[in-house]
Amino acid sequence: CRMRDFPIENSTWAELEKEIKDFLPDVLVISIGSPTIDLDLKACDIAKKINHDVITIAKGAHLAVFDKEILTKYHNLDIVIRNEVEFTALDLATKEQLENIEGITFRTGKEIIRNPERDPVNDLDKLPFPARHLLKNELYIRPDTKEPLTVIMTGRGCPYRCIFCLAGKLSNYRLLQRSYKRVVDEIEECVNKHGIKNFFFLADTFTFNREWVINFCKEVISRNLKIEWGTNSRVDTLDEERVKWMKKAGCYVI
Protein backbone atom coordinates (compact mmCIF):
# COMPACT_ATOMS: atom_id res chain seq x y z
CA CYS A 1 0.00 0.00 0.00
CA ARG A 2 1.27 3.46 -0.87
CA MET A 3 -0.20 6.88 -0.10
CA ARG A 4 0.81 10.18 -1.69
CA ASP A 5 -0.42 13.74 -1.25
CA PHE A 6 0.70 15.25 -4.54
CA PRO A 7 -0.60 18.82 -4.00
CA ILE A 8 1.24 19.37 -0.71
CA GLU A 9 4.41 17.85 -2.21
CA ASN A 10 4.13 20.28 -5.16
CA SER A 11 4.41 17.29 -7.47
CA THR A 12 3.65 17.29 -11.21
CA TRP A 13 1.46 15.11 -13.41
CA ALA A 14 4.65 13.61 -14.83
CA GLU A 15 5.68 12.57 -11.31
CA LEU A 16 2.26 10.98 -10.77
CA GLU A 17 2.66 9.05 -14.02
CA LYS A 18 6.13 7.86 -12.99
CA GLU A 19 4.82 6.80 -9.56
CA ILE A 20 2.06 4.70 -11.14
CA LYS A 21 4.49 3.13 -13.62
CA ASP A 22 6.94 2.26 -10.82
CA PHE A 23 4.37 0.93 -8.34
CA LEU A 24 1.83 -0.52 -10.82
CA PRO A 25 -1.10 -0.51 -8.39
CA ASP A 26 -3.97 -2.98 -8.72
CA VAL A 27 -6.27 -0.32 -7.26
CA LEU A 28 -6.04 3.47 -7.31
CA VAL A 29 -8.13 5.35 -4.72
CA ILE A 30 -8.50 9.12 -5.12
CA SER A 31 -9.87 11.62 -2.62
CA ILE A 32 -11.74 14.33 -4.52
CA GLY A 33 -13.01 17.82 -3.74
CA SER A 34 -15.92 19.51 -5.48
CA PRO A 35 -13.96 22.49 -6.93
CA THR A 36 -11.09 20.30 -8.17
CA ILE A 37 -12.94 17.20 -9.37
CA ASP A 38 -11.91 17.58 -13.04
CA LEU A 39 -8.24 17.71 -12.10
CA ASP A 40 -8.53 15.05 -9.38
CA LEU A 41 -10.04 12.50 -11.76
CA LYS A 42 -7.39 13.17 -14.39
CA ALA A 43 -5.39 10.67 -12.29
CA CYS A 44 -7.80 7.94 -13.48
CA ASP A 45 -7.01 8.76 -17.11
CA ILE A 46 -3.27 8.50 -16.44
CA ALA A 47 -3.61 5.22 -14.52
CA LYS A 48 -5.79 3.59 -17.21
CA LYS A 49 -3.36 4.67 -19.93
CA ILE A 50 -0.58 2.81 -18.10
CA ASN A 51 -2.68 -0.23 -17.13
CA HIS A 52 -6.19 -0.57 -18.52
CA ASP A 53 -7.06 -3.18 -15.85
CA VAL A 54 -6.30 -0.97 -12.84
CA ILE A 55 -9.43 -0.44 -10.71
CA THR A 56 -10.06 3.26 -10.12
CA ILE A 57 -12.04 4.36 -7.07
CA ALA A 58 -13.00 7.83 -5.82
CA LYS A 59 -14.24 9.09 -2.46
CA GLY A 60 -15.45 12.52 -1.34
CA ALA A 61 -18.56 14.30 -0.06
CA HIS A 62 -19.48 15.39 -3.61
CA LEU A 63 -19.95 11.74 -4.55
CA ALA A 64 -22.58 11.08 -1.89
CA VAL A 65 -24.99 13.10 -4.06
CA PHE A 66 -23.63 13.09 -7.62
CA ASP A 67 -22.32 9.52 -7.85
CA LYS A 68 -24.18 8.47 -11.02
CA GLU A 69 -23.53 11.78 -12.77
CA ILE A 70 -19.81 11.55 -12.06
CA LEU A 71 -19.52 7.95 -13.25
CA THR A 72 -21.44 8.88 -16.40
CA LYS A 73 -19.14 11.81 -17.13
CA TYR A 74 -15.77 10.24 -16.22
CA HIS A 75 -15.37 6.99 -18.14
CA ASN A 76 -12.05 6.01 -16.56
CA LEU A 77 -13.54 6.01 -13.05
CA ASP A 78 -14.83 2.56 -12.09
CA ILE A 79 -16.24 2.84 -8.56
CA VAL A 80 -17.53 5.59 -6.26
CA ILE A 81 -17.63 5.28 -2.46
CA ARG A 82 -20.56 7.17 -0.95
CA ASN A 83 -20.52 8.46 2.64
CA GLU A 84 -18.99 5.84 5.00
CA VAL A 85 -15.53 5.20 3.58
CA GLU A 86 -13.43 3.05 5.91
CA PHE A 87 -15.18 -0.32 5.94
CA THR A 88 -16.37 0.14 2.36
CA ALA A 89 -12.74 0.51 1.27
CA LEU A 90 -11.85 -2.60 3.28
CA ASP A 91 -14.61 -4.56 1.53
CA LEU A 92 -13.38 -3.37 -1.87
CA ALA A 93 -9.91 -4.67 -1.02
CA THR A 94 -11.09 -8.06 0.25
CA LYS A 95 -14.35 -9.00 -1.50
CA GLU A 96 -14.64 -10.02 -5.13
CA GLN A 97 -18.32 -9.38 -5.84
CA LEU A 98 -19.06 -5.66 -6.13
CA GLU A 99 -22.79 -6.42 -6.03
CA ASN A 100 -22.40 -7.42 -2.37
CA ILE A 101 -20.65 -4.26 -1.16
CA GLU A 102 -22.92 -1.66 0.41
CA GLY A 103 -22.32 2.05 -0.08
CA ILE A 104 -20.81 1.99 -3.57
CA THR A 105 -21.90 2.95 -7.08
CA PHE A 106 -20.04 1.22 -9.90
CA ARG A 107 -19.89 0.66 -13.62
CA THR A 108 -20.51 -2.70 -15.24
CA GLY A 109 -20.35 -2.47 -19.02
CA LYS A 110 -22.59 0.43 -20.02
CA GLU A 111 -24.74 0.14 -16.89
CA ILE A 112 -24.23 2.03 -13.62
CA ILE A 113 -25.29 0.16 -10.49
CA ARG A 114 -26.09 1.93 -7.21
CA ASN A 115 -25.89 -0.48 -4.27
CA PRO A 116 -27.86 0.10 -1.04
CA GLU A 117 -26.49 2.53 1.54
CA ARG A 118 -24.10 1.27 4.18
CA ASP A 119 -25.15 1.68 7.79
CA PRO A 120 -23.20 4.39 9.64
CA VAL A 121 -20.30 3.35 11.86
CA ASN A 122 -22.01 3.78 15.23
CA ASP A 123 -18.95 2.83 17.26
CA LEU A 124 -16.16 5.09 16.07
CA ASP A 125 -13.70 3.35 18.40
CA LYS A 126 -13.74 0.41 15.96
CA LEU A 127 -11.89 2.51 13.40
CA PRO A 128 -8.11 2.00 13.32
CA PHE A 129 -5.76 4.94 13.62
CA PRO A 130 -4.77 6.59 10.32
CA ALA A 131 -1.70 5.10 8.59
CA ARG A 132 0.48 8.13 9.26
CA HIS A 133 3.62 6.08 8.58
CA LEU A 134 2.66 6.23 4.88
CA LEU A 135 2.68 10.05 4.83
CA LYS A 136 5.42 12.66 4.86
CA ASN A 137 4.24 14.10 8.16
CA GLU A 138 6.85 16.87 8.14
CA LEU A 139 4.99 18.57 5.28
CA TYR A 140 1.88 19.23 7.40
CA ILE A 141 2.80 22.21 9.55
CA ARG A 142 1.27 24.63 12.00
CA PRO A 143 1.22 27.97 10.16
CA ASP A 144 2.56 30.12 13.00
CA THR A 145 5.39 27.96 14.41
CA LYS A 146 6.13 25.77 11.35
CA GLU A 147 6.13 22.67 13.59
CA PRO A 148 4.58 19.38 12.37
CA LEU A 149 0.82 19.27 12.92
CA THR A 150 -1.74 16.54 12.33
CA VAL A 151 -5.52 16.34 12.33
CA ILE A 152 -7.39 13.92 14.60
CA MET A 153 -11.08 13.18 14.15
CA THR A 154 -12.85 13.17 17.53
CA GLY A 155 -16.42 12.74 16.32
CA ARG A 156 -18.83 12.83 13.40
CA GLY A 157 -22.04 14.67 12.85
CA CYS A 158 -23.83 17.58 14.45
CA PRO A 159 -27.26 17.95 16.12
CA TYR A 160 -27.73 21.58 15.05
CA ARG A 161 -29.71 22.81 12.04
CA CYS A 162 -27.68 25.75 10.75
CA ILE A 163 -28.92 26.75 7.30
CA PHE A 164 -25.37 27.40 5.99
CA CYS A 165 -23.88 24.01 6.88
CA LEU A 166 -24.36 20.43 5.66
CA ALA A 167 -22.89 18.71 8.73
CA GLY A 168 -26.23 18.14 10.46
CA LYS A 169 -28.08 17.04 7.34
CA LEU A 170 -25.37 14.59 6.26
CA SER A 171 -25.34 12.99 9.73
CA ASN A 172 -29.12 13.00 10.15
CA TYR A 173 -28.53 15.46 13.00
CA ARG A 174 -26.71 12.86 15.11
CA LEU A 175 -23.45 13.44 16.92
CA LEU A 176 -21.20 10.41 17.38
CA GLN A 177 -18.06 10.77 19.44
CA ARG A 178 -15.05 8.54 19.92
CA SER A 179 -14.26 7.71 23.54
CA TYR A 180 -11.95 10.34 24.97
CA LYS A 181 -9.40 7.69 25.96
CA ARG A 182 -9.25 6.39 22.39
CA VAL A 183 -8.57 9.91 21.11
CA VAL A 184 -5.81 10.38 23.69
CA ASP A 185 -4.34 7.00 22.66
CA GLU A 186 -4.02 8.37 19.12
CA ILE A 187 -2.41 11.56 20.41
CA GLU A 188 0.06 9.46 22.37
CA GLU A 189 0.95 7.45 19.26
CA CYS A 190 1.52 10.68 17.29
CA VAL A 191 3.81 12.05 20.02
CA ASN A 192 5.81 8.87 20.63
CA LYS A 193 5.97 7.37 17.13
CA HIS A 194 5.94 10.40 14.85
CA GLY A 195 7.21 13.25 17.05
CA ILE A 196 4.04 15.31 16.43
CA LYS A 197 3.01 17.59 19.29
CA ASN A 198 0.59 19.96 17.52
CA PHE A 199 -2.97 18.95 16.67
CA PHE A 200 -6.21 20.14 15.16
CA PHE A 201 -9.17 18.16 16.47
CA LEU A 202 -11.66 17.67 13.67
CA ALA A 203 -15.25 17.80 14.87
CA ASP A 204 -18.19 19.90 13.81
CA THR A 205 -18.74 20.85 17.47
CA PHE A 206 -15.86 19.59 19.62
CA THR A 207 -17.23 21.11 22.85
CA PHE A 208 -20.83 19.89 22.60
CA ASN A 209 -20.57 17.32 25.42
CA ARG A 210 -19.30 19.11 28.54
CA GLU A 211 -18.39 15.93 30.45
CA TRP A 212 -16.53 14.47 27.44
CA VAL A 213 -14.46 17.63 26.97
CA ILE A 214 -13.42 17.85 30.62
CA ASN A 215 -12.60 14.12 30.83
CA PHE A 216 -10.57 14.40 27.62
CA CYS A 217 -8.56 17.32 28.99
CA LYS A 218 -7.93 15.55 32.30
CA GLU A 219 -6.71 12.46 30.41
CA VAL A 220 -4.25 14.53 28.35
CA ILE A 221 -2.92 16.12 31.54
CA SER A 222 -2.74 12.83 33.49
CA ARG A 223 -0.61 11.24 30.75
CA ASN A 224 1.71 14.26 30.85
CA LEU A 225 1.32 14.91 27.13
CA LYS A 226 2.84 18.32 26.41
CA ILE A 227 0.81 19.20 23.34
CA GLU A 228 -0.79 22.28 21.77
CA TRP A 229 -4.04 22.13 19.86
CA GLY A 230 -6.99 23.89 18.29
CA THR A 231 -10.52 22.87 17.33
CA ASN A 232 -13.95 23.99 16.07
CA SER A 233 -16.79 24.97 18.37
CA ARG A 234 -19.99 26.93 18.89
CA VAL A 235 -20.17 29.82 21.33
CA ASP A 236 -23.22 28.35 23.07
CA THR A 237 -21.41 25.07 23.83
CA LEU A 238 -18.69 26.78 25.88
CA ASP A 239 -18.54 27.80 29.52
CA GLU A 240 -15.80 28.93 31.85
CA GLU A 241 -15.03 25.48 33.28
CA ARG A 242 -14.72 23.88 29.85
CA VAL A 243 -12.45 26.63 28.57
CA LYS A 244 -10.20 26.48 31.68
CA TRP A 245 -9.68 22.72 31.28
CA MET A 246 -9.03 23.12 27.55
CA LYS A 247 -6.39 25.77 28.26
CA LYS A 248 -4.71 23.51 30.86
CA ALA A 249 -4.62 20.64 28.34
CA GLY A 250 -2.89 22.72 25.65
CA CYS A 251 -5.69 24.42 23.67
CA TYR A 252 -4.54 27.73 22.18
CA VAL A 253 -7.17 28.48 19.52
CA ILE A 254 -10.88 27.83 18.96
Side-chain angles (χ1 to χ4, degrees):
C1 185
R2 189 177 291 187
M3 181 158 57
R4 289 287 304 274
D5 186 340
F6 282 89
I8 202 166
E9 294 179 34
N10 290 317
S11 297
T12 64
W13 289 110
E15 287 172 296
L16 170 67
E17 188 166 349
K18 182 179 184 304
E19 178 97 6
I20 293 173
K21 282 179 179 176
D22 290 345
F23 189 56
L24 287 177
D26 300 303
V27 179
L28 178 72
V29 183
I30 306 159
S31 184
I32 67 103
S34 298
T36 57
I37 192 164
D38 288 328
L39 279 173
D40 298 335
L41 293 178
K42 183 178 173 181
C44 297
D45 301 335
I46 293 170
K48 290 282 190 182
K49 185 176 72 173
I50 295 165
N51 174 18
H52 187 263
D53 294 327
V54 66
I55 299 167
T56 53
I57 302 172
K59 60 160 281 273
H62 191 91
L63 303 172
V65 180
F66 298 109
D67 51 330
K68 283 192 170 182
E69 291 89 337
I70 295 302
L71 280 167
T72 300
K73 182 177 178 182
Y74 299 93
H75 300 289
N76 283 323
L77 175 62
D78 297 320
I79 303 169
V80 159
I81 298 176
R82 310 185 311 265
N83 294 321
E84 299 287 328
V85 173
E86 293 88 358
F87 292 117
T88 306
L90 181 63
D91 283 349
L92 284 168
T94 56
K95 292 183 178 177
E96 293 186 6
Q97 299 301 320
L98 293 180
E99 294 81 2
N100 299 330
I101 300 175
E102 294 175 332
I104 66 168
T105 308
F106 65 98
R107 185 193 317 282
T108 173
K110 292 185 177 180
E111 192 178 2
I112 292 174
I113 308 293
R114 194 177 206 270
N115 287 358
E117 292 292 346
R118 179 176 291 264
D119 290 335
V121 179
N122 289 317
D123 182 2
L124 297 179
D125 284 356
K126 289 181 177 177
L127 297 177
F129 296 159
R132 288 185 176 86
H133 64 285
L134 297 176
L135 283 172
K136 297 178 181 178
N137 293 295
E138 69 277 6
L139 296 178
Y140 302 89
I141 58 171
R142 183 172 149 177
D144 53 345
T145 66
K146 308 305 179 189
E147 297 172 292
L149 176 145
T150 195
V151 175
I152 291 181
M153 179 198 73
T154 64
R156 287 180 177 171
C158 183
Y160 294 100
R161 295 177 177 265
C162 302
I163 60 170
F164 54 82
C165 179
L166 268 177
K169 189 173 178 63
L170 286 174
S171 62
N172 201 23
Y173 304 101
R174 293 174 68 213
L175 172 63
L176 293 172
Q177 287 185 289
R178 298 168 71 190
S179 66
Y180 66 88
K181 287 189 176 180
R182 179 75 172 159
V183 176
V184 180
D185 287 344
E186 186 174 341
I187 294 170
E188 203 163 43
E189 180 185 88
C190 289
V191 171
N192 295 333
K193 191 184 262 189
H194 303 293
I196 300 170
K197 297 179 181 178
N198 294 274
F199 299 89
F200 184 82
F201 296 128
L202 185 65
D204 294 303
T205 309
F206 178 84
T207 54
F208 177 79
N209 184 321
R210 185 171 177 274
E211 183 182 7
W212 188 98
V213 171
I214 293 171
N215 284 334
F216 165 80
C217 293
K218 288 179 177 178
E219 188 72 18
V220 169
I221 294 164
S222 72
R223 298 198 203 182
N224 199 31
L225 293 167
K226 306 296 185 185
I227 62 170
E228 293 193 339
W229 53 275
T231 191
N232 288 326
S233 185
R234 284 171 58 104
V235 173
D236 59 0
T237 64
L238 286 170
D239 55 36
E240 193 165 351
E241 186 178 13
R242 258 178 280 206
V243 171
K244 280 183 175 179
W245 277 109
M246 290 166 72
K247 170 76 171 174
K248 285 180 186 176
C251 181
Y252 69 94
V253 66
I254 305 172

Short mmCIF file of all heavy atoms in Angstrom, two decimals, residues 42-69:
data_model
loop_
_atom_site.label_atom_id
_atom_site.label_comp_id
_atom_site.label_asym_id
_atom_site.label_seq_id
_atom_site.Cartn_x
_atom_site.Cartn_y
_atom_site.Cartn_z
N LYS A 42 -8.38 13.33 -13.32
CA LYS A 42 -7.39 13.17 -14.39
C LYS A 42 -6.43 12.02 -14.04
O LYS A 42 -5.89 11.36 -14.93
CB LYS A 42 -6.62 14.48 -14.57
CG LYS A 42 -5.60 14.48 -15.71
CD LYS A 42 -4.93 15.84 -15.82
CE LYS A 42 -3.80 15.80 -16.84
NZ LYS A 42 -3.12 17.12 -16.94
N ALA A 43 -6.26 11.77 -12.73
CA ALA A 43 -5.39 10.67 -12.29
C ALA A 43 -5.90 9.33 -12.81
O ALA A 43 -5.12 8.43 -13.10
CB ALA A 43 -5.30 10.65 -10.76
N CYS A 44 -7.23 9.19 -12.93
CA CYS A 44 -7.80 7.94 -13.48
C CYS A 44 -7.38 7.75 -14.93
O CYS A 44 -7.06 6.63 -15.35
CB CYS A 44 -9.32 7.96 -13.39
SG CYS A 44 -9.97 8.03 -11.72
N ASP A 45 -7.40 8.84 -15.71
CA ASP A 45 -7.01 8.76 -17.11
C ASP A 45 -5.56 8.29 -17.24
O ASP A 45 -5.23 7.44 -18.07
CB ASP A 45 -7.17 10.13 -17.79
CG ASP A 45 -8.60 10.65 -17.72
OD1 ASP A 45 -9.52 9.81 -17.61
OD2 ASP A 45 -8.79 11.87 -17.76
N ILE A 46 -4.70 8.86 -16.40
CA ILE A 46 -3.27 8.50 -16.44
C ILE A 46 -3.08 7.04 -16.07
O ILE A 46 -2.34 6.30 -16.72
CB ILE A 46 -2.47 9.43 -15.51
CG1 ILE A 46 -2.50 10.87 -16.05
CG2 ILE A 46 -1.04 8.94 -15.34
CD1 ILE A 46 -1.94 11.90 -15.09
N ALA A 47 -3.77 6.61 -14.99
CA ALA A 47 -3.61 5.22 -14.52
C ALA A 47 -4.10 4.22 -15.56
O ALA A 47 -3.46 3.20 -15.82
CB ALA A 47 -4.37 5.03 -13.21
N LYS A 48 -5.24 4.51 -16.21
CA LYS A 48 -5.79 3.59 -17.21
C LYS A 48 -4.92 3.53 -18.47
O LYS A 48 -4.86 2.50 -19.14
CB LYS A 48 -7.22 4.02 -17.59
CG LYS A 48 -8.26 3.81 -16.49
CD LYS A 48 -8.69 2.36 -16.37
CE LYS A 48 -9.89 2.22 -15.44
NZ LYS A 48 -10.31 0.82 -15.26
N LYS A 49 -4.25 4.64 -18.76
CA LYS A 49 -3.36 4.67 -19.93
C LYS A 49 -2.16 3.74 -19.69
O LYS A 49 -1.69 3.06 -20.61
CB LYS A 49 -2.87 6.10 -20.16
CG LYS A 49 -2.03 6.28 -21.42
CD LYS A 49 -1.68 7.75 -21.64
CE LYS A 49 -0.66 8.22 -20.63
NZ LYS A 49 -0.17 9.60 -20.92
N ILE A 50 -1.72 3.67 -18.44
CA ILE A 50 -0.58 2.81 -18.10
C ILE A 50 -1.02 1.35 -17.99
O ILE A 50 -0.34 0.44 -18.46
CB ILE A 50 0.06 3.29 -16.79
CG1 ILE A 50 0.66 4.69 -16.99
CG2 ILE A 50 1.13 2.31 -16.29
CD1 ILE A 50 1.00 5.40 -15.71
N ASN A 51 -2.16 1.14 -17.32
CA ASN A 51 -2.68 -0.23 -17.13
C ASN A 51 -4.20 -0.18 -17.20
O ASN A 51 -4.85 0.27 -16.25
CB ASN A 51 -2.22 -0.79 -15.78
CG ASN A 51 -2.87 -2.14 -15.47
OD1 ASN A 51 -3.39 -2.81 -16.36
ND2 ASN A 51 -2.84 -2.53 -14.21
N HIS A 52 -4.74 -0.66 -18.31
CA HIS A 52 -6.19 -0.57 -18.52
C HIS A 52 -6.98 -1.34 -17.47
O HIS A 52 -8.15 -1.05 -17.21
CB HIS A 52 -6.55 -1.09 -19.92
CG HIS A 52 -8.00 -0.86 -20.27
ND1 HIS A 52 -8.96 -1.83 -20.12
CD2 HIS A 52 -8.64 0.25 -20.72
CE1 HIS A 52 -10.13 -1.35 -20.48
NE2 HIS A 52 -9.97 -0.08 -20.86
N ASP A 53 -6.35 -2.33 -16.82
CA ASP A 53 -7.06 -3.18 -15.85
C ASP A 53 -7.03 -2.63 -14.43
O ASP A 53 -7.63 -3.22 -13.53
CB ASP A 53 -6.45 -4.58 -15.85
CG ASP A 53 -6.70 -5.30 -17.17
OD1 ASP A 53 -7.76 -5.05 -17.78
OD2 ASP A 53 -5.82 -6.08 -17.61
N VAL A 54 -6.31 -1.54 -14.19
CA VAL A 54 -6.30 -0.97 -12.84
C VAL A 54 -7.72 -0.55 -12.46
O VAL A 54 -8.48 -0.04 -13.29
CB VAL A 54 -5.33 0.22 -12.74
CG1 VAL A 54 -5.78 1.40 -13.59
CG2 VAL A 54 -5.15 0.67 -11.29
N ILE A 55 -8.10 -0.82 -11.20
CA ILE A 55 -9.43 -0.44 -10.71
C ILE A 55 -9.32 0.95 -10.10
O ILE A 55 -8.53 1.18 -9.19
CB ILE A 55 -9.93 -1.45 -9.67
CG1 ILE A 55 -10.06 -2.84 -10.30
CG2 ILE A 55 -11.27 -1.00 -9.09
CD1 ILE A 55 -10.26 -3.95 -9.29
N THR A 56 -10.12 1.88 -10.61
CA THR A 56 -10.06 3.26 -10.12
C THR A 56 -11.28 3.55 -9.24
O THR A 56 -12.42 3.28 -9.62
CB THR A 56 -10.01 4.25 -11.29
OG1 THR A 56 -11.10 3.99 -12.18
CG2 THR A 56 -8.70 4.12 -12.05
N ILE A 57 -11.01 4.11 -8.08
CA ILE A 57 -12.04 4.36 -7.07
C ILE A 57 -11.91 5.80 -6.60
O ILE A 57 -10.80 6.31 -6.44
CB ILE A 57 -11.88 3.41 -5.87
CG1 ILE A 57 -11.94 1.94 -6.32
CG2 ILE A 57 -12.93 3.67 -4.80
CD1 ILE A 57 -11.60 0.94 -5.23
N ALA A 58 -13.03 6.47 -6.36
CA ALA A 58 -13.00 7.83 -5.82
C ALA A 58 -13.88 7.93 -4.59
O ALA A 58 -14.90 7.25 -4.48
CB ALA A 58 -13.44 8.84 -6.87
N LYS A 59 -13.47 8.78 -3.66
CA LYS A 59 -14.24 9.09 -2.46
C LYS A 59 -14.29 10.60 -2.28
O LYS A 59 -13.43 11.32 -2.77
CB LYS A 59 -13.60 8.45 -1.23
CG LYS A 59 -12.18 8.92 -0.98
CD LYS A 59 -11.72 8.69 0.44
CE LYS A 59 -12.26 9.73 1.39
NZ LYS A 59 -11.42 10.96 1.49
N GLY A 60 -15.31 11.08 -1.59
CA GLY A 60 -15.45 12.52 -1.34
C GLY A 60 -16.91 12.88 -1.16
O GLY A 60 -17.80 12.22 -1.70
N ALA A 61 -17.18 13.93 -0.39
CA ALA A 61 -18.56 14.30 -0.06
C ALA A 61 -19.40 14.56 -1.31
O ALA A 61 -20.60 14.25 -1.35
CB ALA A 61 -18.56 15.53 0.84
N HIS A 62 -18.79 15.11 -2.34
CA HIS A 62 -19.48 15.39 -3.61
C HIS A 62 -20.15 14.14 -4.16
O HIS A 62 -21.23 14.19 -4.75
CB HIS A 62 -18.44 15.92 -4.61
CG HIS A 62 -19.02 16.49 -5.85
ND1 HIS A 62 -19.35 17.83 -5.99
CD2 HIS A 62 -19.33 15.92 -7.04
CE1 HIS A 62 -19.83 18.04 -7.20
NE2 HIS A 62 -19.83 16.90 -7.86
N LEU A 63 -19.50 12.99 -3.94
CA LEU A 63 -19.95 11.74 -4.55
C LEU A 63 -21.13 11.11 -3.82
O LEU A 63 -21.76 10.20 -4.33
CB LEU A 63 -18.79 10.76 -4.61
CG LEU A 63 -17.56 11.29 -5.37
CD1 LEU A 63 -16.38 10.34 -5.23
CD2 LEU A 63 -17.89 11.51 -6.83
N ALA A 64 -21.42 11.58 -2.61
CA ALA A 64 -22.58 11.08 -1.89
C ALA A 64 -23.87 11.49 -2.60
O ALA A 64 -24.90 10.83 -2.47
CB ALA A 64 -22.58 11.60 -0.45
N VAL A 65 -23.80 12.57 -3.38
CA VAL A 65 -24.99 13.10 -4.06
C VAL A 65 -24.92 12.85 -5.57
O VAL A 65 -25.89 12.43 -6.19
CB VAL A 65 -25.14 14.61 -3.78
CG1 VAL A 65 -26.37 15.17 -4.49
CG2 VAL A 65 -25.21 14.87 -2.28
N PHE A 66 -23.75 13.10 -6.16
CA PHE A 66 -23.63 13.09 -7.62
C PHE A 66 -22.87 11.87 -8.12
O PHE A 66 -22.10 11.95 -9.08
CB PHE A 66 -22.93 14.38 -8.09
CG PHE A 66 -23.70 15.62 -7.74
CD1 PHE A 66 -23.22 16.49 -6.77
CD2 PHE A 66 -24.89 15.93 -8.38
CE1 PHE A 66 -23.92 17.64 -6.44
CE2 PHE A 66 -25.60 17.08 -8.06
CZ PHE A 66 -25.11 17.94 -7.08
N ASP A 67 -23.07 10.73 -7.50
CA ASP A 67 -22.32 9.52 -7.85
C ASP A 67 -22.58 9.07 -9.28
O ASP A 67 -21.65 8.85 -10.06
CB ASP A 67 -22.64 8.39 -6.86
CG ASP A 67 -24.13 8.18 -6.67
OD1 ASP A 67 -24.91 9.15 -6.80
OD2 ASP A 67 -24.55 7.04 -6.39
N LYS A 68 -23.85 8.95 -9.67
CA LYS A 68 -24.18 8.47 -11.02
C LYS A 68 -23.73 9.46 -12.09
O LYS A 68 -23.22 9.08 -13.13
CB LYS A 68 -25.67 8.20 -11.13
CG LYS A 68 -26.12 6.91 -10.46
CD LYS A 68 -27.55 6.55 -10.84
CE LYS A 68 -27.90 5.16 -10.37
NZ LYS A 68 -29.28 4.76 -10.78
N GLU A 69 -23.93 10.76 -11.80
CA GLU A 69 -23.53 11.78 -12.77
C GLU A 69 -22.02 11.74 -13.01
O GLU A 69 -21.56 11.86 -14.15
CB GLU A 69 -23.95 13.17 -12.27
CG GLU A 69 -25.45 13.41 -12.26
CD GLU A 69 -26.12 13.00 -10.97
OE1 GLU A 69 -25.57 12.14 -10.23
OE2 GLU A 69 -27.21 13.51 -10.70
#
